[in-house]
Amino acid sequence: MMMRTLCGGLLLTQLLQPALAADIGKVPVVGGLYHASHIIKEQILDTSTLVATTTRDLTLFTIGGTTLDTYILTLPLDSATKGRVISRLANPMYAIQLGHFLYMFKDRYGGYDSNDVFKAYLKQQYSTDELKRYEHSLFSVDDPVADAAEPEGELINDRLIATLVSLYDALFNNDEWVLGRHLPAEYRYLDDSAADRALIQRVQPLIIGLLTDFEANMTPGEFKHAVAAIIADAAPERAGSVNNKAEAVTITLIDFVRYNVLKNYRQFALEQKRIDAFSDWMQQQMDDDPDALRAFLASQDQRGFAVQVAVDGLQQGLMRALVTPTPTPFITHALANYRQHKTYRPHNDSVVEPEHRQQLNYLTARAEGVDTDPHYLPFFKTLYRTQPTAITEHGTSTTPTISVRNLPIIKTGATVAGPGGTGIPNFHFVDRDKDRAYYFFGNDALQLEKLFQDHGAKTMFDRLPHLKTMNCNAQYDWNAQISYDALVNLGLGEAIRDFGERRCAGELARRAQAEPKIRAERRALIEEIERYQQQSWWAPLSKLSRKQLLKERLGKLAALSEQGMPDYLLMYLPWPDHFAHFKGPFSDEIIAPTGELNRLDYWLGRYTELYQQAGIYDQTLWGMAGDHGLAPIYYALNPEVEVLQALETELGYPLSVRKISSDEGEGPKITNAHHYPSNRELDVVIASTAGGNFMLDLFNARSGWQTQPLYHELTHWTPLQAPEGSRVDLIDATARRLHDSLDYLAVRETPCSPDRCTLRLVGYRDGVRQDEIIQRHGNRLFYRRADNHGQPKLLDVDRSNPYLAPLSERQSAEKRALLRRCLTEATLTQPDSWCTDTQWRTLTQFGPRPDSVNQLAHLYDEDRAGTINLFPKEGVGYNTLVPGRHAGEHYLEKDAFLGFWGTPITSRTPLPAAVNGSLAPTLYQYLTGEPVVAGEQGWGFPSLWPQLQH
């Protein structure tokens, strides 16, 4: 997924008009001062206004330290393109948009060396002998600090910039569009209209020419072969073919360039608008109500700040275990599992082992000794020591525990389904209304923001347009005012370690230096305005002159304030998950002092220092969530082989199967967004996710192709090539053939919606098939065996979690009471007797599958969540080549970090069990003072801010 959610959006800003006067009496008071956020939102900035900024002294606009026209002359462009671009620089909109687009790549991302900052830090803290004890496949003491990185000049060089300029020139030659006379508020993605088809045909030869030059210099291998296949699809006889890859790549790059041009120009225009709005408002207040102006300036220094940290693969139980000096049940059980991993081997013939052998030296050392290392996880150790009650001991991820689903949830606080939901249920799905399959490892990643936008979900940037916001390496950032791109970081961050982290830290360092100056100027202005008010009108010229000088200073303050720290910062750090897949979640590459978790700790400490240097740390609420945890894989197999291919042999006729995913560890896929393959003549579409989930879509529902089949229809499945009257019980065939490796499968028993659902779980325990039912009406749930005889077994709600300490007497009593309440006393025919979602969450937090009943009950809220979902047993992966998995239902995958810290937290009461989606609502309520109600205004999860205050 190295290319960005490419999309270029026509800009125009939801920018905001100054109010001429402020009704200060109606503004909420916080700590004796007016709440600056409300004044800005309700009086200074009016989000209904769209403005295209065209005035700018282009001689001041520089790229790489030179003026824009001079810089263009230095690029290796053909003479026709260079002449055309230079001639059009007189058009301010053309030049400014181009300038900001190039600034993103050249100035914002360039200017840094390629050193591994974390490695340099380690060499300052540890001796060479100490570091040699912690060497692994990602770290070697003897390699140069920049061992894995190419020089940045080779990655962000003049040839790359020239390519971008050529694309810009090909795309931005419509003066009506460029001049900004009809710019929409949201980006319009390319579609199959005649105008867009003509644009694609015009740009495709340029793209193919660049790829041809690139392919000629590549070394032989899989990647070179893939590029050659794209070039081959550009042949005239291939034009218009289904899923034409040449056209697919062209569409992707056009959307990428246009989206980023407009997004970067949008940020420039919004900054200019904010400066004008603040300047006009403050100067008008100087005339109308100097007291209100002084109160506003004072409240600006008292306002709250928020930092939202999303970490891919951050698991709370693992972090708590690693910061505990002595061995914990988590550490000892993880090591014991590894040592007895052969017991997890399924008996299927096609079982394989992951390609990478896990190195667990540090896990072994921690299980056998005491940690006394002051340089290991110092940030997390301080966090757990100083604010342990603000870290929920039982944070959970939604099912399936996959990043593409859960990252939007923790960034936005939205659910997947329903009004205001993200609309993204998994890493892949089939949209039956469009007859379109999506798979987000490849260029379909660029469709994520469109899907999110079309579904009506709101980001924190959308909700906080009146505040100064910043995005560090996260997706869904169209309305961010400062942004570092997610897929640029993913594409370059593996080669250049700390790529995105350094650039965001550099941006924050510049702003941290400006913040004290801004605050000092505010205080000085408050004093000067008070002196002005006290000055007699007996010398009117002197007083008027003083007032004019104050207005000029207020205008300069408005501009200076935009250089200060962001009110809200979203930060995404992908690397703990990224490398845990390929190396194993408990490997030295992840948990050793030279591993990814200690690297994460270093950067969290660095960002903390910057907020302290800015003087705003005590006003900042920090929140962090993981999107899921990870579990080790010791053995892997392919359900397509074990079930569908074996079933073909048994039936004696072919099944029409399409796999839309890559196996874990394989390369990305390319899909043509306009001419994608149809799924209508298929028996089944299959896809796998991160080793822990395998999804099947079938199309045999009696009510039509677009409807998801139910359990009873799948027990009488008729493949397309089946003889007359032939039926297949696909549920039984699947569960029986996978019984050794399958934890359970989930399938709809009845049609499902966000309000209610009944689903069936099927799995084997001790060689016996178990069928169980989860029913949900609103927030009430009933879990039972399908035959109503005895207690259900598949979700282990009565078992203890071996990764956690034994339950206390109080916890044991609470668990026994909830088991009796939810399983024994609940009656099928009386939904009021069923346990609530909160009670089920509390009960299952004590077991090996946190929140399992709730999450499975909501698995099919979104119709595109597949027909059958398979979840493998512990230690097993489906369709994978690597030793780390998630997307499954084991504790290690479900246990997501969720915690908060900072001076604003006053409660000492431990946070209850919560879903990671509560991260954004909590920070929003702190910043705005507005209550958050799950199920209203697009919020899918409750805010925990009230609990942090009691």
Side-chain angles (χ1 to χ4, degrees), residues 315 317-322 324-338 340 363 366-369 393 586 800-807 874 890-892:
Q315 185 183 352
L318 174 60
M319 298 313 301
R320 186 181 293 275
L322 292 175
T324 303
T326 54
T328 66
F330 191 108
I331 297 294
T332 55
H333 189 69
L335 183 61
N337 263 5
Y338 173 74
Q340 62 183 22
L363 182 68
R366 290 298 302 272
E368 298 171 351
E393 186 171 356
F586 307 136
S800 297
N801 186 343
Y803 286 88
L804 301 180
L807 298 182
E874 184 177 6
H890 190 267
Y891 162 72
L892 295 177

mmCIF file of all heavy atoms in Angstrom, residues 315 317-322 324-338 340 363 366-369 393 586 800-807 874 890-892:
data_model
loop_
_atom_site.group_PDB
_atom_site.id
_atom_site.type_symbol
_atom_site.label_atom_id
_atom_site.label_comp_id
_atom_site.label_asym_id
_atom_site.label_seq_id
_atom_site.Cartn_x
_atom_site.Cartn_y
_atom_site.Cartn_z
ATOM 1 N N GLN A 315 -0.941 -3.044 21.678
ATOM 2 C CA GLN A 315 -1.733 -3.899 22.567
ATOM 3 C C GLN A 315 -1.479 -3.527 24.016
ATOM 4 O O GLN A 315 -0.330 -3.459 24.485
ATOM 5 C CB GLN A 315 -1.374 -5.363 22.327
ATOM 6 C CG GLN A 315 -2.233 -6.329 23.129
ATOM 7 C CD GLN A 315 -1.806 -7.768 22.935
ATOM 8 O OE1 GLN A 315 -0.965 -8.058 22.101
ATOM 9 N NE2 GLN A 315 -2.381 -8.663 23.720
ATOM 10 N N GLY A 317 -2.274 -5.159 26.933
ATOM 11 C CA GLY A 317 -1.748 -6.197 27.805
ATOM 12 C C GLY A 317 -0.254 -6.392 27.634
ATOM 13 O O GLY A 317 0.476 -6.594 28.612
ATOM 14 N N LEU A 318 0.228 -6.322 26.390
ATOM 15 C CA LEU A 318 1.657 -6.454 26.140
ATOM 16 C C LEU A 318 2.422 -5.282 26.742
ATOM 17 O O LEU A 318 3.462 -5.478 27.378
ATOM 18 C CB LEU A 318 1.909 -6.535 24.630
ATOM 19 C CG LEU A 318 3.363 -6.528 24.185
ATOM 20 C CD1 LEU A 318 4.123 -7.715 24.765
ATOM 21 C CD2 LEU A 318 3.469 -6.526 22.663
ATOM 22 N N MET A 319 1.914 -4.055 26.558
ATOM 23 C CA MET A 319 2.625 -2.891 27.092
ATOM 24 C C MET A 319 2.671 -2.935 28.615
ATOM 25 O O MET A 319 3.699 -2.620 29.220
ATOM 26 C CB MET A 319 1.970 -1.599 26.607
ATOM 27 C CG MET A 319 1.996 -1.399 25.105
ATOM 28 S SD MET A 319 3.611 -1.701 24.333
ATOM 29 C CE MET A 319 4.634 -0.498 25.193
ATOM 30 N N ARG A 320 1.568 -3.294 29.245
ATOM 31 C CA ARG A 320 1.570 -3.376 30.711
ATOM 32 C C ARG A 320 2.584 -4.413 31.189
ATOM 33 O O ARG A 320 3.292 -4.205 32.183
ATOM 34 C CB ARG A 320 0.173 -3.717 31.218
ATOM 35 C CG ARG A 320 0.054 -3.686 32.741
ATOM 36 C CD ARG A 320 -1.359 -4.050 33.196
ATOM 37 N NE ARG A 320 -2.328 -3.037 32.802
ATOM 38 C CZ ARG A 320 -2.577 -1.934 33.516
ATOM 39 N NH1 ARG A 320 -1.919 -1.695 34.640
ATOM 40 N NH2 ARG A 320 -3.493 -1.074 33.105
ATOM 41 N N ALA A 321 2.666 -5.535 30.472
ATOM 42 C CA ALA A 321 3.622 -6.575 30.853
ATOM 43 C C ALA A 321 5.062 -6.095 30.687
ATOM 44 O O ALA A 321 5.923 -6.365 31.539
ATOM 45 C CB ALA A 321 3.375 -7.821 30.009
ATOM 46 N N LEU A 322 5.338 -5.357 29.612
ATOM 47 C CA LEU A 322 6.719 -4.927 29.349
ATOM 48 C C LEU A 322 7.196 -3.836 30.304
ATOM 49 O O LEU A 322 8.399 -3.716 30.540
ATOM 50 C CB LEU A 322 6.837 -4.454 27.898
ATOM 51 C CG LEU A 322 6.700 -5.542 26.827
ATOM 52 C CD1 LEU A 322 6.720 -4.930 25.431
ATOM 53 C CD2 LEU A 322 7.804 -6.592 26.957
ATOM 54 N N THR A 324 6.294 -3.707 33.432
ATOM 55 C CA THR A 324 6.374 -4.323 34.759
ATOM 56 C C THR A 324 7.738 -4.987 34.903
ATOM 57 O O THR A 324 8.102 -5.838 34.074
ATOM 58 C CB THR A 324 5.252 -5.366 34.929
ATOM 59 O OG1 THR A 324 3.982 -4.737 34.714
ATOM 60 C CG2 THR A 324 5.292 -5.973 36.323
ATOM 61 N N PRO A 325 8.527 -4.647 35.914
ATOM 62 C CA PRO A 325 9.909 -5.157 35.988
ATOM 63 C C PRO A 325 10.001 -6.680 36.098
ATOM 64 O O PRO A 325 10.894 -7.291 35.515
ATOM 65 C CB PRO A 325 10.470 -4.475 37.244
ATOM 66 C CG PRO A 325 9.583 -3.301 37.488
ATOM 67 C CD PRO A 325 8.226 -3.687 36.990
ATOM 68 N N THR A 326 9.096 -7.282 36.842
ATOM 69 C CA THR A 326 9.174 -8.722 37.073
ATOM 70 C C THR A 326 8.340 -9.475 36.036
ATOM 71 O O THR A 326 7.450 -8.912 35.405
ATOM 72 C CB THR A 326 8.663 -9.054 38.483
ATOM 73 O OG1 THR A 326 7.347 -8.506 38.629
ATOM 74 C CG2 THR A 326 9.586 -8.442 39.533
ATOM 75 N N PRO A 327 8.609 -10.777 35.849
ATOM 76 C CA PRO A 327 7.841 -11.555 34.872
ATOM 77 C C PRO A 327 6.345 -11.544 35.204
ATOM 78 O O PRO A 327 5.948 -11.639 36.361
ATOM 79 C CB PRO A 327 8.431 -12.959 34.993
ATOM 80 C CG PRO A 327 9.809 -12.740 35.530
ATOM 81 C CD PRO A 327 9.698 -11.571 36.457
ATOM 82 N N THR A 328 5.531 -11.425 34.187
ATOM 83 C CA THR A 328 4.074 -11.405 34.339
ATOM 84 C C THR A 328 3.470 -12.628 33.666
ATOM 85 O O THR A 328 4.119 -13.280 32.843
ATOM 86 C CB THR A 328 3.480 -10.145 33.686
ATOM 87 O OG1 THR A 328 3.690 -10.225 32.269
ATOM 88 C CG2 THR A 328 4.131 -8.868 34.228
ATOM 89 N N PRO A 329 2.208 -12.954 33.975
ATOM 90 C CA PRO A 329 1.562 -14.067 33.269
ATOM 91 C C PRO A 329 1.572 -13.885 31.760
ATOM 92 O O PRO A 329 1.699 -14.870 31.018
ATOM 93 C CB PRO A 329 0.129 -14.040 33.822
ATOM 94 C CG PRO A 329 0.265 -13.447 35.187
ATOM 95 C CD PRO A 329 1.363 -12.424 35.067
ATOM 96 N N PHE A 330 1.470 -12.642 31.279
ATOM 97 C CA PHE A 330 1.496 -12.401 29.832
ATOM 98 C C PHE A 330 2.815 -12.892 29.243
ATOM 99 O O PHE A 330 2.828 -13.634 28.244
ATOM 100 C CB PHE A 330 1.308 -10.905 29.552
ATOM 101 C CG PHE A 330 1.069 -10.580 28.105
ATOM 102 C CD1 PHE A 330 -0.175 -10.171 27.667
ATOM 103 C CD2 PHE A 330 2.087 -10.686 27.157
ATOM 104 C CE1 PHE A 330 -0.417 -9.879 26.335
ATOM 105 C CE2 PHE A 330 1.864 -10.396 25.826
ATOM 106 C CZ PHE A 330 0.614 -9.994 25.410
ATOM 107 N N ILE A 331 3.907 -12.480 29.825
ATOM 108 C CA ILE A 331 5.228 -12.837 29.303
ATOM 109 C C ILE A 331 5.466 -14.337 29.401
ATOM 110 O O ILE A 331 5.902 -14.986 28.426
ATOM 111 C CB ILE A 331 6.320 -12.062 30.071
ATOM 112 C CG1 ILE A 331 6.174 -10.546 29.861
ATOM 113 C CG2 ILE A 331 7.705 -12.545 29.659
ATOM 114 C CD1 ILE A 331 6.414 -10.092 28.457
ATOM 115 N N THR A 332 5.188 -14.915 30.550
ATOM 116 C CA THR A 332 5.489 -16.337 30.732
ATOM 117 C C THR A 332 4.593 -17.211 29.858
ATOM 118 O O THR A 332 5.049 -18.226 29.316
ATOM 119 C CB THR A 332 5.332 -16.729 32.214
ATOM 120 O OG1 THR A 332 4.014 -16.372 32.662
ATOM 121 C CG2 THR A 332 6.361 -16.004 33.071
ATOM 122 N N HIS A 333 3.327 -16.818 29.694
ATOM 123 C CA HIS A 333 2.427 -17.622 28.861
ATOM 124 C C HIS A 333 2.789 -17.494 27.381
ATOM 125 O O HIS A 333 2.724 -18.481 26.633
ATOM 126 C CB HIS A 333 0.977 -17.204 29.085
ATOM 127 C CG HIS A 333 -0.009 -18.124 28.443
ATOM 128 N ND1 HIS A 333 -0.231 -19.414 28.881
ATOM 129 C CD2 HIS A 333 -0.825 -17.958 27.365
ATOM 130 C CE1 HIS A 333 -1.136 -19.996 28.121
ATOM 131 N NE2 HIS A 333 -1.518 -19.131 27.187
ATOM 132 N N ALA A 334 3.172 -16.292 26.937
ATOM 133 C CA ALA A 334 3.576 -16.109 25.541
ATOM 134 C C ALA A 334 4.788 -16.979 25.222
ATOM 135 O O ALA A 334 4.849 -17.603 24.149
ATOM 136 C CB ALA A 334 3.886 -14.639 25.277
ATOM 137 N N LEU A 335 5.743 -17.046 26.132
ATOM 138 C CA LEU A 335 6.928 -17.872 25.899
ATOM 139 C C LEU A 335 6.571 -19.358 25.949
ATOM 140 O O LEU A 335 7.053 -20.150 25.118
ATOM 141 C CB LEU A 335 8.003 -17.553 26.932
ATOM 142 C CG LEU A 335 9.325 -18.302 26.764
ATOM 143 C CD1 LEU A 335 9.969 -17.985 25.415
ATOM 144 C CD2 LEU A 335 10.290 -17.969 27.902
ATOM 145 N N ALA A 336 5.723 -19.738 26.897
ATOM 146 C CA ALA A 336 5.319 -21.145 26.989
ATOM 147 C C ALA A 336 4.595 -21.585 25.721
ATOM 148 O O ALA A 336 4.808 -22.712 25.238
ATOM 149 C CB ALA A 336 4.428 -21.341 28.214
ATOM 150 N N ASN A 337 3.759 -20.704 25.169
ATOM 151 C CA ASN A 337 3.061 -21.035 23.933
ATOM 152 C C ASN A 337 4.034 -21.285 22.795
ATOM 153 O O ASN A 337 3.862 -22.202 21.981
ATOM 154 C CB ASN A 337 2.107 -19.900 23.553
ATOM 155 C CG ASN A 337 0.686 -20.171 23.999
ATOM 156 O OD1 ASN A 337 0.425 -21.151 24.672
ATOM 157 N ND2 ASN A 337 -0.225 -19.294 23.637
ATOM 158 N N TYR A 338 5.055 -20.440 22.728
ATOM 159 C CA TYR A 338 6.048 -20.610 21.664
ATOM 160 C C TYR A 338 6.764 -21.958 21.814
ATOM 161 O O TYR A 338 6.980 -22.679 20.833
ATOM 162 C CB TYR A 338 7.045 -19.462 21.705
ATOM 163 C CG TYR A 338 8.196 -19.651 20.743
ATOM 164 C CD1 TYR A 338 8.026 -19.480 19.369
ATOM 165 C CD2 TYR A 338 9.457 -20.019 21.207
ATOM 166 C CE1 TYR A 338 9.077 -19.670 18.485
ATOM 167 C CE2 TYR A 338 10.511 -20.205 20.336
ATOM 168 C CZ TYR A 338 10.318 -20.030 18.970
ATOM 169 O OH TYR A 338 11.359 -20.222 18.102
ATOM 170 N N GLN A 340 5.716 -24.667 23.097
ATOM 171 C CA GLN A 340 4.863 -25.817 22.815
ATOM 172 C C GLN A 340 4.039 -25.604 21.553
ATOM 173 O O GLN A 340 2.956 -26.176 21.396
ATOM 174 C CB GLN A 340 3.939 -26.080 24.006
ATOM 175 C CG GLN A 340 2.994 -24.935 24.320
ATOM 176 C CD GLN A 340 2.152 -25.202 25.559
ATOM 177 O OE1 GLN A 340 2.519 -26.016 26.421
ATOM 178 N NE2 GLN A 340 1.012 -24.541 25.648
ATOM 179 N N LEU A 363 12.180 -11.855 24.861
ATOM 180 C CA LEU A 363 11.040 -12.428 25.572
ATOM 181 C C LEU A 363 11.523 -13.465 26.582
ATOM 182 O O LEU A 363 11.037 -13.504 27.731
ATOM 183 C CB LEU A 363 10.080 -13.070 24.581
ATOM 184 C CG LEU A 363 8.811 -13.682 25.177
ATOM 185 C CD1 LEU A 363 7.894 -12.606 25.725
ATOM 186 C CD2 LEU A 363 8.076 -14.532 24.135
ATOM 187 N N ARG A 366 13.107 -11.715 29.594
ATOM 188 C CA ARG A 366 12.115 -11.082 30.468
ATOM 189 C C ARG A 366 11.333 -12.118 31.278
ATOM 190 O O ARG A 366 10.877 -11.841 32.384
ATOM 191 C CB ARG A 366 11.170 -10.219 29.660
ATOM 192 C CG ARG A 366 11.789 -8.961 29.076
ATOM 193 C CD ARG A 366 12.305 -8.030 30.189
ATOM 194 N NE ARG A 366 11.248 -7.666 31.101
ATOM 195 C CZ ARG A 366 10.444 -6.615 30.935
ATOM 196 N NH1 ARG A 366 10.606 -5.820 29.886
ATOM 197 N NH2 ARG A 366 9.516 -6.349 31.831
ATOM 198 N N ALA A 367 11.146 -13.313 30.717
ATOM 199 C CA ALA A 367 10.442 -14.367 31.444
ATOM 200 C C ALA A 367 11.296 -14.959 32.554
ATOM 201 O O ALA A 367 10.760 -15.564 33.496
ATOM 202 C CB ALA A 367 10.008 -15.470 30.488
ATOM 203 N N GLU A 368 12.600 -14.754 32.460
ATOM 204 C CA GLU A 368 13.521 -15.388 33.410
ATOM 205 C C GLU A 368 14.231 -14.396 34.318
ATOM 206 O O GLU A 368 15.006 -14.810 35.186
ATOM 207 C CB GLU A 368 14.556 -16.209 32.639
ATOM 208 C CG GLU A 368 13.938 -17.347 31.820
ATOM 209 C CD GLU A 368 14.931 -18.020 30.901
ATOM 210 O OE1 GLU A 368 16.072 -17.497 30.773
ATOM 211 O OE2 GLU A 368 14.563 -19.049 30.295
ATOM 212 N N GLY A 369 13.989 -13.084 34.134
ATOM 213 C CA GLY A 369 14.714 -12.116 34.941
ATOM 214 C C GLY A 369 13.915 -10.862 35.208
ATOM 215 O O GLY A 369 12.723 -10.767 34.892
ATOM 216 N N GLU A 393 -7.813 -1.063 31.361
ATOM 217 C CA GLU A 393 -7.153 -2.370 31.384
ATOM 218 C C GLU A 393 -7.741 -3.304 30.336
ATOM 219 O O GLU A 393 -7.100 -4.255 29.909
ATOM 220 C CB GLU A 393 -7.285 -2.997 32.776
ATOM 221 C CG GLU A 393 -6.500 -4.290 32.925
ATOM 222 C CD GLU A 393 -6.466 -4.794 34.365
ATOM 223 O OE1 GLU A 393 -6.984 -4.091 35.247
ATOM 224 O OE2 GLU A 393 -5.912 -5.882 34.583
ATOM 225 N N PHE A 586 6.039 -10.929 19.223
ATOM 226 C CA PHE A 586 6.859 -10.939 20.429
ATOM 227 C C PHE A 586 8.339 -11.109 20.095
ATOM 228 O O PHE A 586 9.154 -11.445 20.962
ATOM 229 C CB PHE A 586 6.411 -12.056 21.376
ATOM 230 C CG PHE A 586 4.936 -12.017 21.677
ATOM 231 C CD1 PHE A 586 4.184 -13.184 21.663
ATOM 232 C CD2 PHE A 586 4.300 -10.823 21.951
ATOM 233 C CE1 PHE A 586 2.828 -13.151 21.924
ATOM 234 C CE2 PHE A 586 2.947 -10.780 22.216
ATOM 235 C CZ PHE A 586 2.203 -11.947 22.200
ATOM 236 N N SER A 800 -11.007 -18.429 32.135
ATOM 237 C CA SER A 800 -10.109 -17.340 32.525
ATOM 238 C C SER A 800 -9.122 -17.069 31.405
ATOM 239 O O SER A 800 -8.882 -17.926 30.539
ATOM 240 C CB SER A 800 -9.356 -17.713 33.808
ATOM 241 O OG SER A 800 -10.249 -17.880 34.881
ATOM 242 N N ASN A 801 -8.523 -15.904 31.449
ATOM 243 C CA ASN A 801 -7.546 -15.510 30.434
ATOM 244 C C ASN A 801 -6.143 -15.798 30.966
ATOM 245 O O ASN A 801 -5.696 -15.156 31.924
ATOM 246 C CB ASN A 801 -7.698 -14.016 30.131
ATOM 247 C CG ASN A 801 -6.815 -13.563 28.977
ATOM 248 O OD1 ASN A 801 -5.879 -14.243 28.583
ATOM 249 N ND2 ASN A 801 -7.128 -12.402 28.429
ATOM 250 N N PRO A 802 -5.421 -16.744 30.362
ATOM 251 C CA PRO A 802 -4.100 -17.108 30.893
ATOM 252 C C PRO A 802 -3.054 -15.999 30.739
ATOM 253 O O PRO A 802 -1.993 -16.081 31.370
ATOM 254 C CB PRO A 802 -3.726 -18.349 30.084
ATOM 255 C CG PRO A 802 -4.493 -18.206 28.810
ATOM 256 C CD PRO A 802 -5.773 -17.540 29.181
ATOM 257 N N TYR A 803 -3.322 -14.987 29.916
ATOM 258 C CA TYR A 803 -2.373 -13.896 29.749
ATOM 259 C C TYR A 803 -2.488 -12.842 30.853
ATOM 260 O O TYR A 803 -1.640 -11.953 30.953
ATOM 261 C CB TYR A 803 -2.577 -13.215 28.393
ATOM 262 C CG TYR A 803 -2.071 -14.035 27.231
ATOM 263 C CD1 TYR A 803 -2.898 -14.964 26.607
ATOM 264 C CD2 TYR A 803 -0.761 -13.907 26.773
ATOM 265 C CE1 TYR A 803 -2.446 -15.721 25.541
ATOM 266 C CE2 TYR A 803 -0.301 -14.668 25.710
ATOM 267 C CZ TYR A 803 -1.140 -15.573 25.102
ATOM 268 O OH TYR A 803 -0.682 -16.335 24.043
ATOM 269 N N LEU A 804 -3.527 -12.937 31.666
ATOM 270 C CA LEU A 804 -3.742 -11.960 32.733
ATOM 271 C C LEU A 804 -3.578 -12.615 34.094
ATOM 272 O O LEU A 804 -3.642 -13.845 34.231
ATOM 273 C CB LEU A 804 -5.146 -11.357 32.615
ATOM 274 C CG LEU A 804 -5.468 -10.635 31.306
ATOM 275 C CD1 LEU A 804 -6.891 -10.083 31.349
ATOM 276 C CD2 LEU A 804 -4.467 -9.522 31.021
ATOM 277 N N ALA A 805 -3.388 -11.792 35.112
ATOM 278 C CA ALA A 805 -3.267 -12.295 36.477
ATOM 279 C C ALA A 805 -4.579 -12.950 36.898
ATOM 280 O O ALA A 805 -5.652 -12.604 36.403
ATOM 281 C CB ALA A 805 -2.930 -11.142 37.414
ATOM 282 N N PRO A 806 -4.528 -13.923 37.812
ATOM 283 C CA PRO A 806 -5.761 -14.546 38.297
ATOM 284 C C PRO A 806 -6.723 -13.492 38.855
ATOM 285 O O PRO A 806 -6.308 -12.465 39.389
ATOM 286 C CB PRO A 806 -5.268 -15.496 39.397
ATOM 287 C CG PRO A 806 -3.841 -15.774 39.048
ATOM 288 C CD PRO A 806 -3.319 -14.513 38.426
ATOM 289 N N LEU A 807 -8.016 -13.768 38.707
ATOM 290 C CA LEU A 807 -9.013 -12.817 39.175
ATOM 291 C C LEU A 807 -8.988 -12.710 40.694
ATOM 292 O O LEU A 807 -8.745 -13.686 41.404
ATOM 293 C CB LEU A 807 -10.402 -13.263 38.720
ATOM 294 C CG LEU A 807 -10.657 -13.357 37.214
ATOM 295 C CD1 LEU A 807 -12.104 -13.761 36.947
ATOM 296 C CD2 LEU A 807 -10.341 -12.059 36.516
ATOM 297 N N GLU A 874 -6.034 -20.293 17.645
ATOM 298 C CA GLU A 874 -4.777 -19.719 18.130
ATOM 299 C C GLU A 874 -3.591 -20.457 17.504
ATOM 300 O O GLU A 874 -3.593 -21.677 17.378
ATOM 301 C CB GLU A 874 -4.710 -19.840 19.657
ATOM 302 C CG GLU A 874 -3.491 -19.197 20.285
ATOM 303 C CD GLU A 874 -3.513 -19.284 21.802
ATOM 304 O OE1 GLU A 874 -4.417 -19.949 22.354
ATOM 305 O OE2 GLU A 874 -2.610 -18.705 22.434
ATOM 306 N N HIS A 890 -8.870 -13.855 18.841
ATOM 307 C CA HIS A 890 -8.128 -14.207 20.049
ATOM 308 C C HIS A 890 -7.855 -12.969 20.886
ATOM 309 O O HIS A 890 -7.793 -11.847 20.383
ATOM 310 C CB HIS A 890 -6.811 -14.899 19.667
ATOM 311 C CG HIS A 890 -6.098 -15.500 20.820
ATOM 312 N ND1 HIS A 890 -5.125 -14.828 21.520
ATOM 313 C CD2 HIS A 890 -6.217 -16.713 21.419
ATOM 314 C CE1 HIS A 890 -4.665 -15.602 22.502
ATOM 315 N NE2 HIS A 890 -5.314 -16.746 22.449
ATOM 316 N N TYR A 891 -7.647 -13.164 22.185
ATOM 317 C CA TYR A 891 -7.355 -12.048 23.090
ATOM 318 C C TYR A 891 -6.235 -11.166 22.568
ATOM 319 O O TYR A 891 -6.312 -9.934 22.612
ATOM 320 C CB TYR A 891 -6.985 -12.593 24.482
ATOM 321 C CG TYR A 891 -6.260 -11.591 25.345
ATOM 322 C CD1 TYR A 891 -6.938 -10.500 25.886
ATOM 323 C CD2 TYR A 891 -4.895 -11.715 25.597
ATOM 324 C CE1 TYR A 891 -6.270 -9.559 26.672
ATOM 325 C CE2 TYR A 891 -4.228 -10.794 26.380
ATOM 326 C CZ TYR A 891 -4.913 -9.721 26.913
ATOM 327 O OH TYR A 891 -4.244 -8.792 27.673
ATOM 328 N N LEU A 892 -5.166 -11.775 22.068
ATOM 329 C CA LEU A 892 -4.002 -10.994 21.620
ATOM 330 C C LEU A 892 -4.362 -10.062 20.471
ATOM 331 O O LEU A 892 -3.729 -9.020 20.291
ATOM 332 C CB LEU A 892 -2.874 -11.932 21.194
ATOM 333 C CG LEU A 892 -2.274 -12.804 22.301
ATOM 334 C CD1 LEU A 892 -1.218 -13.740 21.719
ATOM 335 C CD2 LEU A 892 -1.676 -11.952 23.419
#
